[in-house]
Amino acid sequence: QVYLVESGGGLVQAGGSLRLSCAASGRIAGRNVMGWFRQAPGNKRQFVASITTSNNIIYGDSVKGRFTISRDNSKNTVYLQMNNLKPEDTNVYSCNLRDVYGTGDYWGQGTQVTVSS
C-alpha cells in the first residue's frame, strides 16, 4: 500500500503563488510516476503535471509556463510550484502515484486551492 498526503493549499489572490507538496509513504516502487490532477466538468480529472523517478516531466496545456513540478526521491515527495495563479485554477488538487510495474495506482485526498480575483 502507498499513502499520499497533500499539503500547501490555501487562499491566494490572482497573480499570487502557492507551493503544493505530496508526501508518499508505504511500499513505493523504485520506478514510479507522481503527478497532480484537478477536477474538470463532468466529474472528470484534468491532468496538471507529472514527473517520473528519473525526472521526465509532462505539463498540461493549461498550466505550461506557470506551474513547475519537481520531486525529491529520497523523501518520496513531489512538489508543485504554482505561479501567476488565476481564478480558474481554483480547484481541489489531488496527488497521484502510479507504479510503472503495474502494481498500483494511488491517490491522496486532495488539497483545496482557491484563487480570488
Side-chain angles (χ1 to χ4, degrees):
Q1 298 291 321
V2 174
Y3 304 92
L4 304 173
V5 180
E6 303 100 330
S7 62
L11 175 64
V12 65
Q13 293 182 335
S17 299
L18 287 172
R19 193 187 195 202
L20 307 183
S21 299
C22 174
S25 61
R27 296 184 177 182
I28 304 168
R31 293 185 177 182
N32 61 74
V33 56
M34 297 183 69
W36 295 92
F37 293 77
R38 62 191 185 188
Q39 299 300 309
N43 290 322
K44 297 182 179 179
R45 297 185 192 272
Q46 181 185 48
F47 173 75
V48 176
S50 66
I51 183 169
T52 69
T53 315
S54 58
N55 286 322
N56 294 311
I57 295 172
I58 300 174
Y59 292 104
D61 289 339
S62 63
V63 304
K64 286 182 178 178
R66 298 189 298 122
F67 292 6
T68 302
I69 191 169
S70 61
R71 67 184 293 164
D72 184 338
N73 291 335
S74 66
K75 295 180 170 60
N76 292 313
T77 299
V78 65
Y79 307 94
L80 185 68
Q81 179 67 46
M82 305 186 294
N83 297 326
N84 192 25
L85 283 162
K86 305 174 181 179
E88 51 263 44
D89 293 319
T90 295
N91 217 310
V92 175
Y93 286 74
S94 298
C95 180
N96 169 257
L97 186 151
R98 185 168 296 174
D99 188 336
V100 300
Y101 304 111
T103 59
D105 187 3
Y106 305 94
W107 294 88
Q109 293 183 343
T111 184
Q112 176 70 48
V113 172
T114 303
V115 184
S116 62
S117 60

